[in-house]
Amino acid sequence: MHRRVITFSKNAFLPLTTVCQNRCGYCCFRTPVEEGCVMPPDEAILTLEASAALGCTEALFTFGERPGAVPGFTEMLGRFGYADILDYVYDLSLAAIERGLLPHTNAGILTYEELGWLREVNASMGLMLETTADIPAHGNSPGKDPAVRIEMIENAGRLSIPFTTGILLGIGETADDREESLRVIADLHRRYGHIQEVIVQNFCPKPGTAMEGAAVPGPDEIAAAISLAREILPPDVAVQIPPNLADASRLIRCGVNDLGGVSPLTIDYVNPEHPWPQIDELRRIAGDAELRERLCIYPQYIEKGWYSSLLEPLIRRLAERIAAPGRDAGA
């Protein structure tokens, strides 16, 4: 019998700005326009270089959605010579590639044209669906309209972009909503074949947010959602859990086959109170399964050639590196 495989990616987490047009009731990532709300280019480059030196293969670029819609942000970004955050992430993606890291961008809602443009410098991209339900926590967040998010995920499929999405548990949705969300994702993948992984993420209350006192999903509830995801999603779609947010060693038995991106250098800026587990801890979580490092673009999409010519040499080189015989996971 084949030994079960659990995968993960070694990444650098770069939050390019904390300014966001959305006002989600559970978010502590968003800040107003203020000093320090944009990561300076020199800091980003240093992070990329240090992460590459530690063996990382992925540069995860995350930032608030449409920060340019927030008054004052464009002037703040202009200090670094950019008029639009997407131009900034494009240039930093080039810088990541030059340093041996594959870019993966989570930018919130993007148009078809923007997705196509960023595809040239990104090995994969992502957007959490979160839920198909209309919930109070998203009342002041235009980018969290389920129809808008589904359209973007569909556009990524039309453009053959290897894509990450997921659901967020405990933000006001019901069990039926979770099932509907997973079925929508499964349907999109059957039509376009581009969903490489689905994150099942539990909500963690943050002090100072509107939902700081909200009830959190318990272990059994999270386990049930993971099992439902594995049941509904096609077998070639990985089910991922963030190993820093719950008892991953218990949940992994419910059908999880990926532990996402973890960083030996940068923190989880969205959940800063929850440190990333390091490689030895990931091995403990994996138990008797084989822990195997992967790239941010999954092997089936490398085989299909779902990447730009600019990225091909680096993808091939990194794929050979992590597949080297005798290479220990995370070495």
Side-chain angles (χ1 to χ4, degrees):
M1 293 183 64
H2 294 290
R3 187 180 176 195
R4 185 183 175 202
V5 174
I6 306 294
T7 55
F8 75 101
S9 169
K10 287 181 72 175
N11 71 13
F13 192 146
L14 294 93
L16 299 188
T17 184
T18 49
V19 176
C20 182
Q21 71 165 352
N22 295 325
R23 305 286 190 276
C24 299
Y26 46 80
C27 179
C28 74
F29 179 78
R30 179 195 163 272
T31 68
V33 176
E34 60 188 5
E35 291 294 330
C37 69
V38 178
M39 175 179 275
D42 57 350
E43 181 181 340
I45 296 299
L46 285 173
T47 301
L48 293 172
E49 291 176 345
S51 298
L54 290 170
C56 295
T57 61
E58 173 187 354
L60 169 60
F61 294 112
T62 298
F63 45 97
E65 182 175 293
R66 297 293 176 196
V70 180
F73 177 79
T74 300
E75 291 76 13
M76 186 70 72
L77 183 64
R79 297 181 184 181
F80 304 112
Y82 291 93
D84 189 290
I85 191 69
L86 298 185
D87 292 327
Y88 188 31
V89 74
Y90 189 98
D91 282 357
L92 284 177
S93 295
L94 290 174
I97 295 165
E98 290 171 0
R99 288 157 179 80
L101 297 167
L102 293 171
H104 173 101
T105 295
N106 292 334
I109 298 300
L110 298 171
T111 66
Y112 181 91
E113 292 74 21
E114 290 165 342
L115 281 166
W117 180 58
L118 288 176
R119 182 187 185 276
E120 295 302 308
V121 294
N122 275 262
S124 57
M125 299 180 70
L127 177 79
M128 290 287 282
L129 174 58
E130 295 194 8
T131 180
T132 53
D134 292 316
I135 55 173
H138 289 162
N140 295 312
S141 302
K144 295 300 177 75
D145 180 335
V148 172
R149 295 178 92 75
I150 291 168
E151 181 183 18
M152 178 177 150
I153 299 169
E154 185 171 17
N155 282 337
R158 291 192 178 106
L159 289 162
S160 298
I161 297 173
F163 209 76
T164 295
T165 188
I167 60 174
L168 187 54
L169 311 179
I171 55 174
E173 84 292 351
T174 66
D176 286 344
D177 294 331
R178 293 171 190 168
E179 181 174 350
E180 180 184 60
S181 299
L182 290 166
R183 293 196 183 281
V184 166
I185 294 169
D187 179 64
L188 287 166
H189 181 71
R190 290 189 182 98
R191 289 161 61 195
Y192 299 102
H194 68 306
I195 307 295
Q196 55 182 6
E197 58 193 6
V198 171
I199 305 169
V200 179
Q201 181 172 332
N202 51 297
F203 154 71
C204 297
K206 305 293 191 298
T209 65
M211 292 182 66
E212 65 177 335
V216 300
D220 291 343
E221 189 176 356
I222 300 171
I226 294 169
S227 297
L228 183 65
R230 188 64 283 163
E231 176 187 335
I232 290 173
L233 296 171
D236 59 330
V237 176
V239 174
Q240 179 189 125
I241 57 169
N244 59 324
L245 300 185
D247 184 359
S249 58
R250 171 185 173 182
L251 297 173
I252 208 164
R253 299 191 294 268
C254 302
V256 172
N257 51 352
D258 187 75
L259 295 172
V262 298
S263 177
L265 180 68
T266 55
I267 66 169
D268 180 351
Y269 290 92
V270 179
N271 297 282
E273 72 279 17
H274 296 284
W276 298 120
Q278 295 306 304
I279 304 302
D280 286 345
E281 177 63 11
L282 291 182
R283 289 195 185 95
R284 186 192 69 79
I285 291 169
D288 58 3
E290 176 190 351
L291 182 67
R292 183 182 299 172
E293 187 178 354
R294 62 164 174 82
L295 303 181
C296 65
I297 176 173
Y298 275 50
Q300 62 265 37
Y301 299 103
I302 297 176
E303 292 173 8
K304 291 179 180 180
W306 280 25
Y307 46 77
S308 70
S309 57
L310 175 67
L311 288 164
E312 181 171 9
L314 179 58
I315 288 174
R316 296 295 179 185
R317 186 166 74 248
L318 291 178
E320 290 177 5
R321 191 180 94 190
I322 66 171
R327 176 183 164 81
D328 190 24

